[in-house]
Amino acid sequence: NYFSQTPRLVRLIAGGWSLAAIGSLRSGTPLTITSGSDSNFDGTNNDRADLIGDPYLDPHRPRSQVVDQWFNIAAFNKTTQAIHSYDGTSGRNILDGPGLKNVDMTIARNFKLAERKTLQFRGEATNALNLVNLSNPGTAANSSTTFGKITTGLPMRQAQLGLKLIF
């Protein structure tokens, strides 16, 4: 056994560690594009926008372009709808928001202090690989500042260390 031939000091420092990881991969949530106003006068502001073009854009664009315009905002028109007072022509959930990639990790080691006492050292990290996960874009066509734009993201890497006395 190679490990038994290593120096005692190396075995004390490097041995006994445990590593755990949880990975998550998720597709984006469905998006419904709304006009952002009560275009058909039914008392709700969630009427759909008119679809007048192709809403899809190449997902392999530079991140700055993706964040500025997740989907083709020119493919939706709220003016026509407002003139005719009807619910828009775009379907429900026709687009998907950004997906999610995440890995949470823990590294831990128990140190035996006495027969019934153990000290556990833990290091934990959420989003351990520090992957960028974007939030959904604005979907209200009447909001010129947020329509199609991604303005927030999910938290970046967060880490914590801890000691636990087990007795």
Side-chain angles (χ1 to χ4, degrees):
N1 183 345
Y2 175 76
F3 195 67
S4 63
Q5 296 173 358
T6 57
R8 179 171 166 74
L9 181 62
V10 173
R11 281 185 284 159
L12 285 173
I13 295 171
W17 291 94
S18 62
L19 178 68
I22 298 174
S24 302
L25 297 172
R26 215 173 43 209
S27 63
T29 57
L31 303 174
T32 298
I33 308 304
T34 64
S35 67
S37 61
D38 185 14
S39 303
N40 64 0
F41 306 110
D42 66 355
T44 62
N45 286 342
N46 62 353
D47 298 338
R48 294 187 202 129
D50 280 336
L51 182 63
I52 58 171
D54 183 7
Y56 302 102
L57 292 174
D58 179 15
H60 304 292
R61 299 172 290 144
R63 181 172 293 145
S64 61
Q65 291 178 13
V66 168
V67 168
D68 190 50
Q69 196 172 102
W70 179 255
F71 53 85
N72 182 9
I73 62 173
F76 299 95
N77 183 0
K78 65 182 186 329
T79 310
T80 309
Q81 177 183 347
I83 291 171
H84 300 295
S85 300
Y86 63 87
D87 214 6
T89 59
S90 67
R92 182 175 172 267
N93 300 334
I94 62 169
L95 297 168
D96 288 325
L100 172 106
K101 300 176 287 287
N102 185 51
V103 177
D104 297 336
M105 297 181 82
T106 299
I107 186 167
R109 181 167 178 203
N110 291 334
F111 298 93
K112 193 85 164 159
L113 300 177
E115 183 178 331
R116 296 180 138 205
K117 292 182 183 169
T118 303
L119 183 67
Q120 183 183 70
F121 170 79
R122 299 178 65 83
E124 300 171 339
T126 57
N127 194 4
L129 302 179
N130 213 25
L131 301 169
V132 175
N133 290 297
L134 302 171
S135 296
N136 282 335
T139 56
N142 70 340
S143 176
S144 60
T145 58
T146 61
F147 185 50
K149 293 180 184 350
I150 296 175
T151 58
T152 60
L154 299 178
M156 300 308 286
R157 179 187 308 129
Q158 296 179 353
Q160 66 182 14
L161 300 175
L163 289 173
K164 178 168 51 170
L165 180 61
I166 303 166
F167 55 95

Short mmCIF file of all heavy atoms in Angstrom, two decimals, residues 58 91 102 114 139:
data_model
loop_
_atom_site.label_atom_id
_atom_site.label_comp_id
_atom_site.label_asym_id
_atom_site.label_seq_id
_atom_site.Cartn_x
_atom_site.Cartn_y
_atom_site.Cartn_z
N ASP A 58 -29.13 34.35 -31.77
CA ASP A 58 -28.05 33.38 -31.61
C ASP A 58 -27.58 33.39 -30.15
O ASP A 58 -27.13 34.41 -29.64
CB ASP A 58 -26.89 33.74 -32.54
CG ASP A 58 -25.72 32.78 -32.42
OD1 ASP A 58 -25.89 31.69 -31.85
OD2 ASP A 58 -24.63 33.13 -32.91
N GLY A 91 -47.63 33.68 -28.37
CA GLY A 91 -48.13 32.58 -27.56
C GLY A 91 -47.62 32.63 -26.12
O GLY A 91 -46.75 33.41 -25.77
N ASN A 102 -24.52 24.85 -11.74
CA ASN A 102 -24.05 25.13 -10.39
C ASN A 102 -23.41 23.88 -9.79
O ASN A 102 -23.87 22.76 -10.02
CB ASN A 102 -25.22 25.59 -9.52
CG ASN A 102 -24.77 26.00 -8.15
OD1 ASN A 102 -23.86 26.81 -8.01
ND2 ASN A 102 -25.40 25.46 -7.13
N ALA A 114 -10.54 12.43 21.73
CA ALA A 114 -10.59 11.43 22.81
C ALA A 114 -11.49 10.31 22.31
O ALA A 114 -11.98 10.35 21.18
CB ALA A 114 -11.12 12.06 24.09
N THR A 139 -39.88 41.10 -19.47
CA THR A 139 -40.78 40.58 -20.50
C THR A 139 -41.94 41.51 -20.83
O THR A 139 -42.83 41.14 -21.58
CB THR A 139 -41.34 39.21 -20.08
OG1 THR A 139 -41.99 39.35 -18.81
CG2 THR A 139 -40.24 38.17 -19.99
#
